[in-house]
Amino acid sequence: MKLKIYLTTLGLSLSILFGSVDTLHYDLTIFGIKCGEISYLYPQNNQLFITTYSTGIVDYIFPFKNDYNTTFDTSFYGVKHYNKIIRQGEFKQRLDGKWDAASKMFEYEKLASFQRPDSCMNLFTFFARVNKERGDMLDTQWFPVEHEGNLFKSRVLIADTVTMESRGLSVLCNHFRFDLIPLNDQIKMLDRSDYFSQNIIRPEAIKQIWVEQNNPRRIMKASVQIGPISITATLKQ
C-alpha cells in the first residue's frame, strides 16, 4: 500500500516537473508579441491545474505567475473546489471556494456564499468540458457558470471548421465563439481580481476557442479581444 502511494506521488510529481501526455503548454501573446506561457495539466480526470507565467522582457518589467486549480464532477463538470493564487507584480491574492451539496451553496472561504444550481460550472470546468466533449453536443447549449460570486450563462457556438497545424500534421478543428452573459446584477465580492478573471467577463470582450474535432480534443488556440487589444494562447509545437 505504501509503495503504491509512493509510486503515485512520484508519478504525479514527475508529470508536473517534466510534462506528460496530459500536460499542454501554450505561448501567450499580446499584439502578437510573446509575454508568457500557460501550462494546462490534468493530474486526474476530475482535476484541472492551469498556471500562467511571464517570460522574456515582461518577466523583468511586470512579472506574473498565477495558479488556478479546480476539482469537478466528471459527469456534468460542476465545480467542487476552486483555488487560485495570484502573483501579478505587487498584487497578491488567494481565493478558495467549495461546493456544499446539502445547502446548494458555493462557499468562498472568509468571504461569502451563493446559491447555485446543481452542477454549476466555473470557467475552468467549462474549458474542461469543451476539451472533453464533442463540439456538436455542446454547440448552442447554455450552461450555468459561477465566477467569483456572479452567476453567468455560457455557451459555445461553432463558427466554422478550420484546419490547423500541430507538429507538422494537419488537425481539423472546431472554431467556437464563446459567450458569457450575466444572469443577475453584478456584485463585487473582491475589490480587485487578476487580469484573466477581471477581463474575461467584460461584455465587450470577443472570446474565441479552437478545439481539435477528434480525440484528444486539445484546445489548439484561444483568444480574447477587447477593443484593439488581442490576447492569444496558442498550443506550443
Side-chain angles (χ1 to χ4, degrees):
M1 183 65 180
K2 288 183 179 180
L3 178 61
K4 183 177 180 181
I5 293 172
Y6 171 76
L7 291 174
T8 301
T9 304
L10 178 62
L12 177 56
S13 299
L14 291 174
S15 72
I16 292 172
L17 285 172
F18 301 111
S20 69
V21 293
D22 293 322
T23 306
L24 300 176
H25 299 277
Y26 297 81
D27 285 328
L28 188 63
T29 61
I30 182 167
F31 297 119
I33 301 169
K34 185 172 177 178
C35 61
E37 295 186 9
I38 300 172
S39 69
Y40 190 98
L41 168 67
Y42 282 105
Q44 297 184 45
N45 286 337
N46 68 334
Q47 291 181 314
L48 176 59
F49 294 172
I50 295 177
T51 299
T52 67
Y53 53 95
S54 53
T55 59
I57 192 169
V58 174
D59 199 40
Y60 292 96
I61 298 171
F62 194 82
F64 61 87
K65 184 181 180 185
N66 299 338
D67 296 305
Y68 309 90
N69 301 328
T70 310
T71 303
F72 54 90
D73 164 26
T74 54
S75 297
F76 301 102
Y77 297 85
V79 58
K80 298 297 184 185
H81 179 263
Y82 173 60
N83 163 265
K84 75 170 183 177
I85 301 173
I86 304 302
R87 297 158 294 240
Q88 286 179 183
E90 297 297 320
F91 175 55
K92 306 292 189 292
Q93 185 179 66
R94 182 180 182 118
L95 181 66
D96 287 281
K98 65 179 181 179
W99 170 249
D100 186 300
S103 63
K104 298 190 184 300
M105 304 279 283
F106 197 79
E107 303 171 346
Y108 288 100
E109 186 177 332
K110 299 179 182 178
L111 288 170
S113 299
F114 301 93
Q115 197 85 39
R116 293 295 179 252
D118 283 329
S119 301
C120 187
M121 295 182 282
N122 70 2
L123 287 171
F124 300 101
T125 68
F126 186 79
F127 296 152
R129 190 168 197 160
V130 166
N131 113 265
K132 290 289 188 181
E133 295 190 352
R134 282 171 37 194
D136 58 344
M137 300 295 290
L138 296 173
D139 187 35
T140 74
Q141 288 196 64
W142 289 105
F143 299 99
V145 166
E146 154 61 31
H147 181 66
E148 299 189 349
N150 291 296
L151 182 62
F152 293 81
K153 63 177 183 178
S154 64
R155 69 176 178 181
V156 287
L157 294 172
I158 298 178
D160 56 12
T161 301
V162 299
T163 299
M164 304 182 76
E165 282 200 7
S166 175
R167 298 179 181 176
L169 299 175
S170 295
V171 178
L172 196 61
C173 298
N174 287 323
H175 170 205
F176 294 107
R177 188 185 85 197
F178 174 32
D179 293 333
L180 198 59
I181 298 174
L183 287 177
N184 51 16
D185 293 334
Q186 298 294 282
I187 67 162
K188 197 154 184 167
M189 183 180 74
L190 303 171
D191 292 332
R192 183 180 173 187
S193 194
D194 59 281
Y195 287 140
F196 171 79
S197 300
Q198 187 168 295
N199 290 303
I200 191 72
I201 61 173
R202 288 175 60 167
E204 71 271 30
I206 299 171
K207 301 172 285 290
Q208 301 177 84
I209 309 174
W210 290 259
V211 183
E212 193 172 13
Q213 264 197 358
N214 301 312
N215 284 330
R217 296 195 180 93
R218 296 167 297 173
I219 294 176
M220 304 295 291
K221 180 180 173 182
S223 72
V224 178
Q225 182 167 348
I226 301 173
I229 302 173
S230 179
I231 301 174
T232 304
T234 306
L235 184 66
K236 291 172 73 73
Q237 297 298 310

